[in-house]
Amino acid sequence: MTLNFSFETTPHVIQETGGASRLPALAAGLGAKAPMIVTDAGLVKSGVLAPVLAAFAAAGQPVEVFTDVQADPPEAVVLATVDAARAAGADVIIGIGGGSSMDTAKLVALLVGAPQALPDIYGIGLAHGPRLPLIQVPTTAGTGSEVTPISIVTTPTHEKKGVVSPLLYPDIALLDASLTLGLPAPVTAATGIDAMVHAIEAYTSKHKKNAVSDALALQALRLLAGNMDRVIADGTDVDARSAMLQGSMLAGMAFANAPVAAVHALAYPLGGHFHVPHGLSNALVLPPVLHFNKPAATTLYAELAGVVLPGQRFASAYAAADAFIAFMQEMVARMPFAQRLTDVGVTEADLERLAVDAMKVERLLMNNPRPVTQADAFAIYQSVL
Ligand SMILES: NC(=O)c1ccc[n+]([C@@H]2O[C@H](COP(=O)([O-])OP(=O)(O)OC[C@H]3O[C@@H](n4cnc5c(N)ncnc54)[C@H](O)[C@@H]3O)[C@@H](O)[C@H]2O)c1
Ligand SMILES: [Fe+2]
């Protein structure tokens, strides 16, 4: 075992309830004369953007607003946003929303300044930059995209591909829990499970797990597991919402440095082919992947049991690992979203294609504590059909 590691994150993170009112000043601090907000229509409709726009109006600072981001952003939407930013002469990009808006904002900041064809930068470290100054404001808790060097795009062949580059860390991440109070319960549940999976998969990541990512993952899981039921019961509970937002950010910091694995690899084909929201697709495959990984991750899952079931004593590491898996399985089962693949339109005839596509996500599968074959992937999908 080595203690060597490397760790990177967003250089400036601010958590401040109500802090969105400071966005005009933060943008000005990055030199903004023509800032542009990248977001989706759902956020405008639900009123999340209103206080932000009011703050820009109060500051007398004009701001362009692009609202056409779609969930699991297709390539065409990313490129249309880049064109809009270029036409507007945008000089600072502000991503406001869930992972879809923040991931699009990252690529806009990157590609406006330094044109490269999007397919040429899928993969790790292929972007040249420089990028425009970038502020990220998450409104789900969540992807942690505000502190990751990753953008996930849906290709015309329905694959989800990632651009991974340190250029994608924003200059500033602003966490304002007041923007998350109206997030509907099913989205709160799915995005919260996504964040928990980031913490779990970072903690069990095979190659780059390290002292810093471990500490972040444990605290993330503590906050997320401890507050999930509270935010589902009462979405306006600002303390619980703040804890979830902080938990998702810490989990993002962890998995940005100790990457996610089989849960995400098996979730991607569900998003790509069936448009299952990212968090829900993770939730569907999480329990069977935990069971599958248990022989290779018993000790680590036992350590996570200590976090989600504080104060409980277990007869053995096996019993603790089982208790952790049961805790996660029960958490998923009581969430207000679909529980089976058939509920999201998948049939038995689709499983082969899903398994084939999951095997293509080698970038993530290589981090899994236990090697996954195509037959394993098929069996995992089949178990939750
Ligand atoms: N970059 C990364 O590191 C990373 C990590 C995980 C996932 N992702 C990607 O992120 C995307 C998923 O992001 P997501 O799960 O945050 O969902 P999302 O961004 O797709 O948003 C889901 C829905 O919730 C709505 N919404 C968001 N915040 C709201 C609020 N506060 N109030 C009311 N409605 C709100 C949106 O309008 C949208 O309709 C996927 O494309 C996924 O692949 C990226
Ligand atoms: Fe995720």
Side-chain angles (χ1 to χ4, degrees):
M1 193 192 140
T2 172
L3 292 181
N4 297 348
F5 76 98
S6 157
F7 186 85
E8 284 184 290
T9 194
T10 299
H12 190 183
V13 180
I14 305 166
Q15 178 155 17
E16 182 180 327
T17 305
S21 63
R22 292 211 288 125
L23 274 174
L26 293 171
L30 294 174
K33 299 274 182 296
M36 176 167 150
I37 292 173
V38 173
T39 188
D40 68 64
L43 284 167
V44 180
K45 210 166 140 218
S46 57
V48 173
L49 222 57
V52 176
L53 298 182
F56 276 96
Q61 165 72 72
V63 63
E64 253 338 286
V65 187
F66 184 90
T67 62
D68 287 353
V69 172
Q70 288 172 22
D72 303 300
E75 271 180 12
V77 170
V78 173
L79 297 177
T81 321
V82 172
D83 288 344
R86 209 172 272 138
D91 56 7
V92 170
I93 303 296
I94 305 170
I96 303 182
S100 299
S101 290
M102 289 192 287
D103 282 7
T104 305
K106 285 176 179 175
L107 290 173
V108 170
L110 182 70
L111 295 176
V112 164
Q116 276 183 285
L118 197 42
D120 290 348
I121 58 172
Y122 292 135
I124 301 174
L126 299 174
H128 300 322
R131 64 151 173 77
L132 292 182
L134 176 64
I135 303 175
Q136 296 282 43
V137 185
T139 65
T140 62
T143 64
S145 177
E146 69 276 13
V147 288
T148 74
I150 308 164
S151 266
I152 308 289
V153 176
T154 305
T155 70
T157 53
H158 307 290
E159 277 178 71
K160 295 198 74 173
K161 289 204 168 168
V163 179
V164 184
S165 163
L167 289 162
L168 296 182
Y169 286 114
D171 299 285
I172 300 172
L174 174 65
L175 277 58
D176 177 353
S178 69
L179 302 180
T180 70
L181 299 180
L183 191 65
V187 189
T188 301
T191 50
I193 295 289
D194 182 31
M196 295 175 83
V197 174
H198 295 157
I200 296 165
E201 294 208 292
Y203 196 73
T204 57
S205 195
K206 194 156 178 188
H207 301 293
K208 295 189 180 162
K209 168 183 168 64
N210 62 74
V212 181
S213 65
D214 279 356
L216 292 164
L218 292 175
Q219 178 61 4
L221 196 60
R222 196 170 287 123
L223 287 168
L224 294 162
N227 287 279
M228 188 74 159
D229 290 320
R230 274 177 68 183
V231 286
I232 297 299
D234 177 8
T236 65
D237 181 336
V238 71
D239 291 339
R241 287 286 198 190
S242 300
M244 293 297 289
L245 201 52
Q246 186 165 103
S248 72
M249 182 268 292
L250 297 176
M253 286 180 169
F255 92 85
N257 293 277
V260 292
V263 178
H264 274 74
L266 270 72
Y268 279 158
L270 294 170
H273 291 297
F274 294 92
H275 300 292
V276 180
H278 175 73
L280 175 56
S281 50
N282 273 288
L284 286 164
V285 296
L286 173 63
V289 172
L290 291 177
H291 283 291
F292 174 82
N293 282 345
K294 195 187 133 192
T298 303
T299 309
L300 296 175
Y301 287 168
E303 289 167 13
L304 295 179
V307 168
V308 300
L309 297 163
Q312 285 203 24
R313 299 177 70 88
F314 304 99
S316 65
Y318 292 99
D322 280 340
F324 170 69
I325 295 171
F327 176 91
M328 290 309 307
Q329 189 155 3
E330 285 158 23
M331 165 85 73
V332 167
R334 65 176 178 272
M335 288 297 130
F337 51 51
Q339 297 288 330
R340 313 292 308 181
L341 293 184
T342 45
D343 299 335
V344 295
V346 178
T347 66
E348 179 96 39
D350 299 312
L351 299 186
E352 192 66 35
R353 183 175 51 151
L354 289 173
V356 167
D357 275 11
M359 297 317 289
K360 293 180 190 161
V361 196
E362 178 55 25
R363 172 176 78 85
L364 303 185
L365 286 175
M366 63 183 281
N367 306 311
N368 203 55
R370 183 176 169 192
V372 182
T373 66
Q374 191 174 315
D376 295 329
F378 187 95
I380 288 169
Y381 287 127
Q382 198 169 39
S383 72
V384 282
L385 188 64

